[in-house]
Amino acid sequence: MPLRKWFSSTASPNIWLHLRRPIKSQVLCSAGYRLFTASSLRFIKQDELASTLNDSTKTAGKDFLIVDVREPWDYATLHIKSAINIPSPQLMTLPAAALVDRVRTLNRMDAIPKTVMFHCKLSLIRGPTCAVRFGTLLKQVETTDKGIRDETVIAVLDGGFKAWETTYGHDPNMVEGTAAPAEVS
């Protein structure tokens, strides 16, 4: 039996994903049509993100964007280098245009990058849920906004920040924040 959660027209959207089953759960609105599905998400490995960060031909903010949806105090302590912070409660409640403007303001760019990657601590619920929400809102806004690319890829960091910290938490080129390791000269 597929697991689904319907939006309430009076409540803020509460998107629920069950990613351990085959992707049958979809984001549905009260009218019952598809907006953006969990199967549209791409999961990326830590090594792939690390190679993207180390690629001198790619610029954070222009070619890719990393969105950390953890709470601000977690972000301030330690986060992936060049990531922006939009806490999941804020991302889930902002209207479409306001969210896109917030991403542009934090990113300091007019256009949304080709790849937008989300993560939370484990990337099991908050990260994928926020990614689906962002993808849904992007579909709503892209018809009227020329700064949004039709081919924007929405991705989620596999294993979340916990796996990233285990692998790259010691590397000052990969993390920043108050608990980041000092760079060796």
Side-chain angles (χ1 to χ4, degrees):
M1 179 171 102
L3 299 171
R4 294 184 179 145
K5 179 97 181 193
W6 295 88
F7 284 79
S8 166
S9 60
T10 57
S12 64
N14 183 11
I15 303 169
W16 183 81
L17 298 172
H18 188 74
L19 296 174
R20 298 240 183 244
R21 290 185 182 223
I23 305 294
K24 290 184 179 179
S25 58
Q26 300 174 351
V27 178
L28 299 171
C29 71
S30 57
Y33 59 88
R34 257 195 227 187
L35 296 176
F36 187 84
T37 64
S39 61
S40 303
L41 292 178
R42 180 173 169 251
F43 283 82
I44 61 167
K45 301 283 183 194
Q46 286 83 21
D47 296 339
E48 187 179 349
L49 178 56
S51 66
T52 301
L53 286 171
N54 287 329
D55 189 347
S56 61
T57 62
K58 293 184 180 177
T59 307
K62 183 179 176 188
D63 299 310
F64 66 92
L65 178 65
I66 304 165
V67 181
D68 187 333
V69 299
R70 297 175 303 148
E71 296 299 329
W73 51 85
D74 289 332
Y75 174 83
T77 303
L78 195 66
H79 60 270
I80 299 172
K81 199 161 205 146
S82 78
I84 64 169
N85 181 235
I86 305 176
S88 57
Q90 189 178 49
L91 198 143
M92 295 302 290
T93 56
L94 281 174
L99 179 60
V100 171
D101 287 343
R102 175 119 168 95
V103 168
R104 285 183 178 149
T105 302
L106 290 171
N107 192 29
R108 297 182 192 95
M109 294 282 185
D110 287 335
I112 299 293
K114 185 176 180 183
T115 304
V116 182
M117 296 170 265
F118 288 82
H119 77 85
C120 59
K121 184 168 183 155
L122 300 173
S123 289
L124 291 175
I125 297 174
R126 288 182 300 171
T129 302
C130 289
V132 169
R133 165 100 169 131
F134 185 76
T136 301
L137 295 179
L138 210 55
K139 294 286 183 200
Q140 291 174 5
V141 176
E142 75 182 8
T143 55
T144 60
D145 195 331
K146 298 199 186 303
I148 297 177
R149 302 171 187 228
D150 292 332
E151 70 276 1
T152 299
V153 174
I154 309 292
V156 177
L157 179 61
D158 195 24
F161 187 74
K162 188 171 184 177
W164 179 266
E165 184 179 20
T166 301
T167 309
Y168 297 104
H170 63 281
D171 188 346
N173 296 321
M174 297 292 177
V175 293
E176 53 191 5
T178 58
E183 288 195 39
V184 180
S185 354

